Amino acid sequence: MTTTKTHQNFESLQQCVDAVIAKVGKDIRLGLPLGLGKPVNLVNALYQRAREDPALKLHIFTALSLEKPLSGESLERRFMAPFVDRVFKDVPDLDYVIALRQGTLPDNVQVSEFFFKAGSWIGHKEQQQNYICTNYTHAVRDLMAQGINVVGQMVAPHPAGEQRVSLSCNPDLSIDLIPVMREREAAGQPVAIMAEVNDRLPWMGHHADRSMDEFDFVLAGDDCNHPLFSAPKMPVVPEDHMIGFYASSLIRDAGTLQVGIGSLGDAVVYSTLMRHHDNARYVEAADKVGLERHFPIVNEVGGTDPLPDGLYGCSEMMVDGFLYLLQDGVLTREVFEDETLQRLIDDARIGKQVSIQTLDTLVQEGLIRSPLRARDLSWLQRFGILRAECGFKGGQLLVDDQAITPDLNDSGSRTAIEAHALGERLSGGVVMHGGFYIGPESFYKGLRELSEQERDSISMTSVCFINQLYDHAYGAQSLKQAQRRHARFINSAMMVTLNGAAVSDGLDSGQVLSGVGGQYNFVAMAHELPEGHSILTLRSVRHSGGKPVSNIVFNYGHCTIPRHLRDFVVTEYGIAYLRGKPDSEVFQELIKIADSRFQPNLVREAKKAGKIPQDWEVPAAFSNNTPDRIEAIIGDFQESHELFPRFPFGCDFTDDELKLGKVLKGLRAKGGTTRGRIQLLLQALRAPEPDAEQLRLLQRMGLSEPDSLRSRLERRLLMVGLSAIA
């Protein structure tokens, strides 16, 4: 162990744990980042120490505790086990999550989360009872109210070996949490702030770049350099592609974008890229679905033209889609930390390329003076308008061994400044502000391989900066408004009621599915930004018990986004614009984008409640909202133009696994009812012998030579499914 001025470096995990306990005692209230940034080795060591020592109390406060995919029935286990072994090889588990699943968490250990992986803890009494409901922007406040005294974070080492680390994937809360922890320490309460260095974590600069001395204990070593938890890509089904297509038409050139993880987010990014790079096909798709004819609001808030001025990403979660938008030339709208400069750029009064006219405009706007002063030089160098090599002394601008009188009204001075002092291009702008990230391994690899210029264009920072306008610690509200022009905040919901309220995080039983996270923040902010819009996306139908159920409902006993914040809602059947509309129009617009199997009942309920006229009927253009129509539209483009692929951004599954996944999905659907299960068993008794390809798939499932009654039955069931897709 070596000691520096304020932090201790450790290679021994147990010695680091000893140091934490020595500093804060045996009542540890541990705050951990959401998602990827948990220091897994340190967390597991603290947990194991608590298991061994009942006198040590450990209460973990966190969100989104990542766990490898869980398998259900035996066929699913046979499918998932090899996949998990391959994709998550050497990725460590969180021991406390395993204990929670097994029901073996010791009495002296407790876990409280403010956000779950969707649906992962339904029915789990302990986690449901310990759940803390909070907005993302209030999480630090609420963690501090719980009395946390230890904070842990996985960090990235400095690429040049300096005594600095990057918060990388999770500056979201840590940037704000560490200072208030130090305030608590200054008030007399012992605290410990831990870092675990993982050299596989991509280095990210800007606000995520921190001194090691902000931490008390820094753990590093080969055991810390484990692979990062990966979120495998899921298929983008036709319904998702249609939702993504409609949502992409609401995006405005030179605007701002927030989008989430998952197949719906991938669909939005895919269609946005198609709109920009394959515009003829995009317009063809728009014509085929009657986009502008049925939804004229598109022409007011978005459009179908390419995006030559680009987009700026402002999203609590930086998903891998933003990396694709960056690499493919769409995420190009830079924002700068000066309101007037930002507005001048957006109004095209200043270009990205620096010229002497740039200085003239800045003088006219009062940002600098002529003759230039020392403070003007500092400001101009900050944004690359004057070269970094320039100096200032005695009222003279010093550059290239020359002294230039910085009078912009003097022709000789202007010529000299233009020749020797001007920069080439504005600098200091970023195209992406993100709070945290998680994604597939290809995403992490892409971040590690970014050029220096690309990396500098991304700023990982606090959610208090990203998710709200009014926090003055991160810039004035007017600056954020200037940066977030034409904001389109795209989030997914589970259900929407006919009055425009959204259900995203829980059930009417009180069970929590996930958490509000930052969704409420972004929806509310969209209403506060003059040109902003919230876009809530959802599939119109889900399946429960083998039967279709509408996600657009008359009413529901839980609400995440209240109806007074209604704006855009998008399903695979179109766009409902609800902002500022009377209830009768809101009800009608939502019924129009519901599945036609459920429209009659929704109309009856709305009329019974007196919310729509008794003579209103679903317009003919929206009376054929069926899955078959969506399949046909997307299928035509897949066949004729190879558009709308199932995996637009890569896939972790092999071809055989994709086939098997389709088979298992079909078997689950057929076996969703008692009658269906009986039919499957009867078919299994008559299952044919496999051909060569089917035998290979049986081998992948470990069923080529079944050795028990159960495995023989599973083989026959699988053959039923394989025969159905042959």
Side-chain angles (χ1 to χ4, degrees):
M1 182 185 72
T2 59
T3 303
T4 64
K5 182 178 180 182
T6 59
H7 76 270
Q8 292 178 288
N9 293 325
F10 290 90
E11 292 186 3
S12 167
L13 188 58
Q14 296 306 319
Q15 288 180 7
C16 189
V17 171
D18 290 339
V20 171
I21 295 172
K23 194 168 193 293
V24 303
K26 288 194 170 185
D27 186 359
I28 296 177
R29 304 178 72 79
L30 173 62
L32 298 174
L34 173 151
L36 185 63
K38 295 176 178 61
V40 180
N41 290 295
L42 281 169
V43 175
N44 286 347
L46 281 168
Y47 169 74
Q48 294 300 334
R49 187 69 65 90
R51 284 192 66 222
E52 297 163 2
D53 181 4
L56 193 159
K57 292 176 61 179
L58 175 63
H59 194 159
I60 298 171
F61 299 91
T62 187
L64 197 60
S65 294
L66 300 173
E67 58 182 329
K68 297 167 187 175
L70 302 172
S71 53
E73 297 299 321
S74 183
L75 277 176
E76 290 188 359
R77 285 199 298 272
R78 290 179 179 277
F79 176 78
M80 288 302 301
F83 174 80
V84 170
D85 289 344
R86 182 180 74 247
V87 174
F88 295 92
K89 183 180 180 182
D90 297 328
V91 175
D93 294 298
L94 287 164
D95 289 347
Y96 72 83
V97 174
I98 293 176
L100 281 168
R101 288 292 178 201
Q102 296 175 345
T104 59
L105 200 71
D107 292 339
N108 59 323
V109 178
Q110 187 174 338
V111 180
S112 297
E113 298 196 74
F114 67 85
F115 195 94
F116 297 146
K117 178 186 174 184
S120 60
W121 297 104
I122 286 290
H124 193 286
K125 292 182 179 179
E126 190 170 4
Q127 288 309 91
Q128 289 290 327
Q129 291 171 16
N130 291 334
Y131 169 76
I132 297 173
C133 186
T134 186
N135 274 338
Y136 207 170
T137 48
H138 300 155
V140 168
R141 178 202 67 190
D142 293 341
L143 287 172
M144 295 303 292
Q146 292 289 334
I148 63 169
N149 56 7
V150 179
V151 170
Q153 173 109 17
M154 181 168 64
V155 298
H158 193 278
E162 296 180 17
Q163 290 292 294
R164 304 190 67 79
V165 293
S166 172
L167 299 178
S168 187
C169 59
N170 279 98
D172 49 341
L173 300 181
S174 300
I175 284 179
D176 301 307
L177 186 57
I178 291 175
V180 293
M181 288 287 285
R182 292 304 181 199
E183 292 175 8
R184 178 165 285 179
E185 183 178 45
Q189 179 178 335
V191 304
I193 301 176
M194 313 178 298
E196 182 176 314
V197 183
N198 187 335
D199 65 10
R200 299 200 188 199
L201 193 64
W203 172 270
M204 307 302 290
H206 294 283
H207 300 164
D209 180 357
R210 319 301 287 191
S211 168
M212 275 193 181
D213 289 341
E214 292 188 38
F215 299 88
D216 298 303
F217 309 121
V218 177
L219 177 71
D222 291 342
D223 290 342
C224 298
N225 299 324
H226 57 76
L228 304 178
F229 188 97
S230 173
K233 285 292 186 185
M234 292 295 105
V236 181
V237 298
E239 291 84 356
D240 296 337
H241 268 307
M242 283 306 307
I243 292 168
F245 179 80
Y246 283 126
S248 70
S249 72
L250 299 173
I251 295 171
R252 183 73 168 262
D253 189 27
T256 303
L257 180 65
Q258 177 252 332
V259 69
I261 196 171
S263 59
L264 284 176
D266 286 348
V268 172
V269 171
Y270 174 80
S271 282
T272 302
L273 289 171
M274 180 169 66
R275 174 179 164 183
H276 185 65
H277 290 295
D278 194 359
N279 190 251
R281 296 286 180 260
Y282 187 89
V283 171
E284 183 181 343
D287 290 342
K288 186 165 187 175
V289 300
L291 177 67
E292 295 174 342
R293 183 171 68 257
H294 298 315
F295 311 106
I297 188 65
V298 165
N299 293 319
E300 296 179 33
V301 302
T304 59
D305 292 335
L307 305 162
D309 293 326
L311 301 174
Y312 153 61
C314 183
S315 185
E316 63 181 24
M317 184 178 189
M318 183 175 73
V319 297
D320 62 330
F322 284 109
L323 184 60
Y324 297 120
L325 291 170
L326 174 66
Q327 293 171 336
D328 289 346
V330 174
L331 202 67
T332 58
R333 178 179 167 251
E334 294 178 283
V335 299
F336 296 83
E337 293 185 352
D338 186 279
E339 178 186 349
T340 306
L341 178 63
Q342 185 67 53
R343 295 192 185 280
L344 289 172
I345 294 168
D346 285 336
D347 293 341
R349 295 186 58 198
I350 285 180
K352 299 293 179 64
Q353 300 301 316
V354 175
S355 69
I356 197 69
Q357 285 72 35
T358 303
L359 296 177
D360 293 338
T361 302
L362 296 175
V363 171
Q364 293 170 13
E365 292 297 320
L367 284 171
I368 60 174
R369 291 184 183 178
S370 179
L372 298 176
R373 303 159 297 176
R375 71 180 70 170
D376 296 323
L377 174 62
S378 297
W379 189 91
L380 291 166
Q381 288 177 319
R382 176 185 172 193
F383 296 109
I385 299 168
L386 291 186
R387 291 168 51 193
E389 297 83 2
C390 294
F392 199 88
K393 186 176 182 180
Q396 297 289 296
L397 189 63
L398 307 178
V399 59
D400 295 340
D401 298 324
Q402 295 189 54
I404 303 171
T405 300
D407 185 353
L408 295 172
N409 295 314
D410 179 79
S411 60
S413 296
R414 290 173 66 88
T415 300
I417 290 172
E418 191 169 18
H420 301 286
L422 279 184
E424 295 182 0
R425 190 182 186 281
L426 292 180
S427 63
V430 301
V431 299
M432 178 78 217
H433 279 111
F436 74 99
Y437 65 74
I438 185 172
E441 173 55 34
S442 58
F443 180 35
Y444 307 143
K445 182 175 183 290
L447 290 176
R448 288 191 291 265
E449 294 176 352
L450 288 173
S451 68
E452 184 175 353
Q453 180 180 352
E454 289 172 329
R455 183 172 288 105
D456 285 345
S457 72
I458 299 172
S459 176
M460 299 299 295
T461 187
S462 164
V463 292
C464 286
F465 170 81
I466 295 167
N467 288 33
Q468 59 191 9
L469 295 177
Y470 58 82
D471 193 304
H472 293 286
Y474 296 96
Q477 178 171 331
S478 55
L479 170 61
K480 293 183 182 181
Q481 287 177 326
Q483 294 175 335
R484 299 174 192 186
R485 294 197 64 186
H486 303 297
R488 302 294 181 263
F489 299 141
I490 305 175
N491 291 280
S492 60
M494 298 188 305
M495 288 178 276
V496 170
T497 63
L498 286 185
N499 65 14
V503 182
S504 305
D505 71 321
L507 305 177
D508 59 4
S509 65
Q511 290 281 302
V512 178
L513 279 168
S514 53
V516 65
Q519 185 173 113
Y520 181 90
N521 292 138
F522 278 99
V523 173
M525 180 166 47
H527 286 265
E528 295 164 1
L529 289 165
E531 305 157 320
H533 282 288
S534 161
I535 303 168
L536 293 180
T537 62
L538 75 160
R539 296 181 191 172
S540 68
V541 171
R542 69 185 185 278
H543 285 81
S544 178
K547 297 180 179 180
V549 180
S550 179
N551 286 327
I552 295 181
V553 297
F554 178 74
N555 204 358
Y556 194 72
H558 177 77
C559 171
T560 310
I561 305 300
R563 65 178 183 172
H564 66 267
L565 292 178
R566 58 200 186 193
D567 199 344
F568 280 104
V569 174
V570 176
T571 74
E572 65 269 33
Y573 299 119
I575 301 167
Y577 182 44
L578 312 178
R579 182 187 286 189
K581 301 282 183 69
D583 273 5
S584 61
E585 292 185 34
V586 170
F587 276 61
Q588 292 169 34
E589 290 300 303
L590 287 169
I591 292 172
K592 284 159 60 175
I593 63 168
D595 189 289
S596 289
R597 290 170 289 181
F598 304 99
Q599 287 174 330
N601 190 54
L602 292 171
V603 170
R604 280 194 297 271
E605 290 188 276
K607 288 181 178 179
K608 182 179 178 181
K611 300 302 289 187
I612 61 175
Q614 292 298 313
D615 60 351
W616 186 82
E617 295 181 357
V618 177
F622 299 95
S623 61
N624 188 29
N625 289 353
T626 65
D628 288 345
R629 185 170 70 87
I630 300 302
E631 290 271 1
I633 292 171
I634 296 299
D636 285 349
F637 279 95
Q638 288 174 334
E639 292 179 12
S640 60
H641 302 306
E642 296 185 349
L643 299 176
F644 301 114
R646 291 187 73 225
F647 291 92
F649 303 115
C651 176
D652 291 303
F653 294 100
T654 65
D655 289 343
D656 282 353
E657 286 168 344
L658 291 174
K659 292 177 184 177
L660 287 166
K662 184 177 180 180
V663 168
L664 293 178
K665 182 179 179 181
L667 290 175
R668 279 196 302 272
K670 289 180 181 178
T673 63
T674 301
R675 182 179 180 182
R677 287 190 289 273
I678 292 173
Q679 289 177 337
L680 275 178
L681 287 172
L682 291 174
Q683 288 178 285
L685 294 175
R686 303 188 298 270
E689 288 300 310
D691 59 25
E693 180 183 359
Q694 291 168 340
L695 183 59
R696 187 184 71 249
L697 296 173
L698 288 170
Q699 289 173 336
R700 163 60 180 79
M701 295 288 283
L703 290 171
S704 58
E705 298 180 2
D707 56 2
S708 68
L709 178 62
R710 183 183 184 90
S711 60
R712 285 193 289 272
L713 177 59
E714 289 173 345
R715 175 189 168 107
R716 286 181 172 276
L717 285 170
L718 192 60
M719 279 304 303
V720 171
L722 290 172
S723 299
I725 66 168

